[in-house]
Amino acid sequence: MKNIEYGYWWNCAACGAENAYGLTSEEAEEYIRDWEADNADSVAEGETGEGACDWWYNVTAEENDAHIEDGERCCKCNAVAAASTRTDKAKWFDSIVDNLEKSV
Ligand SMILES: [Zn+2]
């Protein structure tokens, strides 16, 4: 299993194994370097690659079902992540959005 520094965990629907979606510290360093190289404008405004990495992997990726969108495979049985592998946080976030929409 990946030892992730940034990201979240999801459970395989086929075998129940816990899987990591995210980056190890080495991968994160590369992501941060690449992001800063690609986003010089944002860096000039005070943003950092670390902030971008944290925002995507720790905050928004899970809400966006990133492992399902990316078709991640289970580390144990190789099954592709199905819609049924949504995490509790993603479901919770959706229910909040639903409630907000209903109350408008
Ligand atoms: Zn599996």
Side-chain angles (χ1 to χ4, degrees):
M1 196 177 332
K2 272 174 91 172
N3 188 13
I4 55 170
E5 188 94 345
Y6 294 88
Y8 65 93
W9 304 92
W10 56 277
N11 290 313
C12 175
C15 75
E18 197 173 40
N19 285 273
Y21 178 86
L23 303 177
T24 62
S25 53
E26 290 94 54
E27 288 170 337
E29 274 177 35
E30 196 181 320
Y31 179 98
I32 289 165
R33 231 186 355 257
D34 288 352
W35 188 93
E36 291 184 349
D38 290 345
N39 296 277
D41 292 357
S42 302
V43 174
E45 287 166 12
E47 288 189 44
T48 63
E50 194 177 2
C53 186
D54 181 60
W55 177 249
W56 169 244
Y57 283 100
N58 288 344
V59 183
T60 51
E62 189 168 354
E63 292 164 3
N64 286 290
D65 301 320
H67 69 286
I68 301 170
E69 292 291 319
D70 287 3
E72 290 277 299
R73 285 177 180 275
C74 173
C75 61
K76 199 169 159 195
C77 73
N78 213 34
V80 176
S84 58
T85 64
R86 298 192 74 201
T87 65
D88 288 343
K89 185 184 163 192
K91 289 181 200 159
W92 171 82
F93 182 75
D94 256 9
S95 70
I96 300 279
V97 172
D98 279 353
N99 284 336
L100 284 175
E101 282 170 355
K102 274 174 206 148
S103 65
V104 174

